[in-house]
Amino acid sequence: MAAQALALLREVARLEAPLEELRALHSVLQSVPLSELREQAAELRLGPLFCLLNENHREKTTLCVSILERLLQAMEPIHVARNLRVDLQRGLTHPDDSVKILTLSQVGRIVENSDAVTEILNNAELLKQVVYCIGGENLSVAKALIIEISSVSPECLNYCTTSGLVTQLLRELTGEDVLVRATCIEMVTSLAYTHHGRQYLAQEGVIDQISNIIVGADSDPFSSFYLPGFVKFFGNLAVMDSPQQTCERYPVFVEKVFEMMESQDPTMIGVAVDTVGILGSNVEGKQVLQKTGTRFERLLKRIGYQAKNASTELKIRCLDAVSSLLYLPPEQQTDDLLRMTESWFSSLSQDPLELFRGISSQPFPELHCAALKVFTAIANQPWAQKLMFNSPGFVEYVMDRSVERDKASKDAKYELVKALANSKTIAEIFGNPNYLRLRTYLSEGPYYVKPVSTTAVEGAE
């Protein structure tokens, strides 16, 4: 099949008006596996297809875009960057949006690839052209690409700001259109993942502006469109910089998270839960939350309630947040922090261990795995080991391989066993026989099936 496609590609290059050949090539490519095309990548000559895009013939353009999408997937980004540079530059200024989107998606592949991106970065002229070509477009894919390019290095961010593109994006972030605002905050959050991006946003006063918009959200009837994204932005910022400094400098952020948790809107609750999980993923963040005292205890109780009663999707998000909040690496297990995670666990519900066991017995693999993740998060903490050991049937539940039916669940159970077996306090708390059973489970691996012994009976058919 790949050979037939190559023959048709040669025909297209040879003929002046290859409409029938393009139709045939388009049809053949639908059934050629990508792996076969990758084997032939060195033979693919795409120049003629790019030339046909300039003929202003609607059907040819549509066919060429579709064919190029498929064939470019078979090429390594570095090959595209080196050999199709000029074609990409032309594509960026093409009058047809579908050609621009095709080109932008290829530039996106190049930017995401650490080997290929240097091909653009080492060519200042090309990078400028890419940036300025994109500047004329109001396509959201173009904006996302600008942020990707800006995130690569301080130099790239400089190109993008000089062109006015980042400034335009930031204007839209604080503009009146709430839907555009919601899209922009996602892109700005991506930029904040880099140190130079955060520095730039702070210098330009963008972080303060986002905080002020959260302050004013109470009086905006449309705030539900953009508020989730703005709160997520601060959650990510806190973890990447310093949870304590972020929460002290922008107290409205923490305030809003508590407020959203009390909401009746599942979208708002979900964002609050995710943000608390992100914030409490390191020790400094945990301590910031602990300082809010009884408010945080109430919030935990609410998470426990949602984990039991919400939709499956929100239950999973609650369980993930609980895992993040309760996990403590062995080297950080001071008496104070262990007391804190123990009290957090008991704030979740009247009998949290039973709550999570109940959730893990529901017939949904994602829920089952998320509940096992909670047990795994606390499995190396002595207070949790005592709770597990003293809970009737819990040790048997951990050892029982018949509970898990699918691969993800077997893997999740294995992680729990591993966390228990590798803990320094487990032999003392669970007792030696149970400790040896855990070590056996560990050495047999996640997918072990006990052989069924068959005894031959004389005379049996």
Side-chain angles (χ1 to χ4, degrees), residues 32-175:
V32 181
L34 208 52
S35 54
E36 276 188 40
L37 288 173
R38 285 199 180 107
E39 286 167 17
Q40 304 290 335
E43 303 296 313
L44 298 174
R45 303 280 175 269
L46 304 188
L49 289 170
F50 277 104
C51 287
L52 287 168
L53 291 171
N54 302 323
E55 288 193 7
N56 200 13
H57 182 292
R58 183 171 285 278
E59 190 185 354
K60 274 188 197 168
T61 301
T62 306
L63 286 166
C64 285
V65 166
S66 184
I67 290 165
L68 281 165
E69 265 174 4
R70 185 77 178 147
L71 294 177
L72 286 163
Q73 273 182 302
M75 289 184 167
E76 289 299 320
I78 193 157
H79 179 88
V80 176
R82 281 180 184 159
N83 302 305
L84 298 170
R85 232 183 264 175
V86 178
D87 297 307
L88 292 180
Q89 279 168 231
R90 282 202 202 106
L92 286 166
T93 55
H94 198 281
D96 190 304
D97 271 0
S98 67
V99 178
K100 279 188 191 125
I101 290 169
L102 166 76
T103 315
L104 288 170
S105 68
Q106 291 307 311
V107 176
R109 284 180 71 210
I110 292 166
V111 171
E112 285 170 2
N113 183 289
S114 54
D115 297 325
V117 74
T118 51
E119 292 293 321
I120 287 187
L121 302 186
N122 292 336
N123 185 333
E125 216 35 60
L126 173 67
L127 179 61
K128 273 187 202 165
Q129 255 186 304
V130 168
V131 170
Y132 289 121
C133 288
I134 293 171
E137 292 315 306
N138 205 14
L139 303 163
S140 62
V141 63
K143 289 179 188 160
L145 191 50
I146 278 298
I147 294 298
E148 270 187 46
I149 293 173
S150 301
S151 300
V152 171
S153 69
E155 295 76 29
C156 292
L157 174 58
N158 198 25
Y159 278 128
C160 294
T161 48
T162 310
S163 71
L165 292 169
V166 176
T167 324
Q168 182 195 335
L169 185 73
L170 297 178
R171 264 202 309 275
E172 290 178 351
L173 179 68
T174 53

Side-chain angles (χ1 to χ4, degrees), residues 407-459:
K407 182 182 182 299
S409 299
K410 289 177 196 289
D411 288 339
K413 172 67 82 70
Y414 189 72
E415 288 305 312
L416 169 58
V417 170
K418 196 194 316 184
L420 287 167
N422 290 337
S423 163
K424 288 182 176 150
T425 50
I426 198 73
E428 185 191 332
I429 294 169
F430 269 37
N432 267 328
N434 285 323
Y435 170 65
L436 292 172
R437 288 170 74 196
L438 285 166
R439 299 301 315 175
T440 305
Y441 191 124
L442 202 59
S443 64
E444 287 170 346
Y447 317 118
Y448 175 76
V449 179
K450 199 173 180 182
V452 180
S453 59
T454 51
T455 311
V457 180
E458 201 177 332

Side-chain angles (χ1 to χ4, degrees), residues 280-287 322-344 373-385 419 423:
S281 60
N282 63 28
V283 167
E284 190 186 322
K286 291 184 206 300
Q287 287 166 329
V322 169
S323 302
S324 172
L325 287 166
L326 296 177
Y327 177 69
L328 274 179
E331 66 277 7
Q332 292 176 332
Q333 290 185 10
T334 62
D335 288 348
D336 280 354
L337 288 174
L338 285 167
R339 269 196 299 275
M340 181 188 79
T341 51
E342 184 174 6
S343 87
W344 285 6
K373 244 173 87 179
V374 172
F375 295 139
T376 307
I378 56 175
N380 65 2
Q381 299 177 46
W383 63 263
Q385 292 171 1
S423 163

Side-chain angles (χ1 to χ4, degrees), residues 232-244:
K232 275 185 200 167
F233 169 82
F234 274 112
N236 287 303
L237 188 70
V239 168
M240 286 177 287
D241 269 354
S242 151
Q244 192 173 338

Side-chain angles (χ1 to χ4, degrees), residues 117-313:
V117 74
T118 51
E119 292 293 321
I120 287 187
L121 302 186
N122 292 336
N123 185 333
E125 216 35 60
L126 173 67
L127 179 61
K128 273 187 202 165
Q129 255 186 304
V130 168
V131 170
Y132 289 121
C133 288
I134 293 171
E137 292 315 306
N138 205 14
L139 303 163
S140 62
V141 63
K143 289 179 188 160
L145 191 50
I146 278 298
I147 294 298
E148 270 187 46
I149 293 173
S150 301
S151 300
V152 171
S153 69
E155 295 76 29
C156 292
L157 174 58
N158 198 25
Y159 278 128
C160 294
T161 48
T162 310
S163 71
L165 292 169
V166 176
T167 324
Q168 182 195 335
L169 185 73
L170 297 178
R171 264 202 309 275
E172 290 178 351
L173 179 68
T174 53
E176 294 305 308
D177 188 326
V178 291
L179 294 175
V180 170
R181 204 183 260 186
T183 312
C184 289
I185 191 65
E186 283 186 30
M187 296 178 195
V188 171
T189 303
S190 301
L191 184 57
Y193 282 126
T194 64
H195 180 65
H196 67 270
R198 289 196 295 283
Q199 271 185 322
Y200 172 77
L201 293 171
Q203 281 162 6
E204 294 296 309
V206 176
I207 302 174
D208 291 335
Q209 283 177 311
I210 294 172
S211 172
N212 291 337
I213 290 172
I214 294 178
V215 172
D218 287 344
S219 56
D220 181 357
F222 300 108
S223 63
S224 60
F225 285 108
Y226 59 81
L227 201 53
F230 278 45
V231 169
K232 275 185 200 167
F233 169 82
F234 274 112
N236 287 303
L237 188 70
V239 168
M240 286 177 287
D241 269 354
S242 151
Q244 192 173 338
Q245 283 175 13
T246 304
C247 295
E248 280 173 5
R249 183 160 183 194
Y250 305 103
V252 66
F253 154 60
V254 184
E255 197 54 47
K256 192 52 75 176
V257 171
F258 280 110
E259 235 177 77
M260 288 165 95
M261 198 65 220
E262 293 300 323
S263 161
Q264 296 305 310
D265 179 351
T267 305
M268 295 297 175
I269 297 169
V271 171
V273 165
D274 294 347
T275 308
V276 166
I278 291 169
L279 198 52
S281 60
N282 63 28
V283 167
E284 190 186 322
K286 291 184 206 300
Q287 287 166 329
V288 167
L289 292 167
Q290 176 71 346
K291 278 181 194 161
T292 62
T294 53
R295 289 190 79 186
F296 189 59
E297 281 175 29
R298 280 203 307 277
L299 184 140
L300 286 168
K301 200 170 185 175
R302 186 107 171 103
I303 290 180
Y305 175 83
Q306 295 293 342
K308 187 178 180 182
N309 299 298
S311 66
T312 300
E313 189 247 353

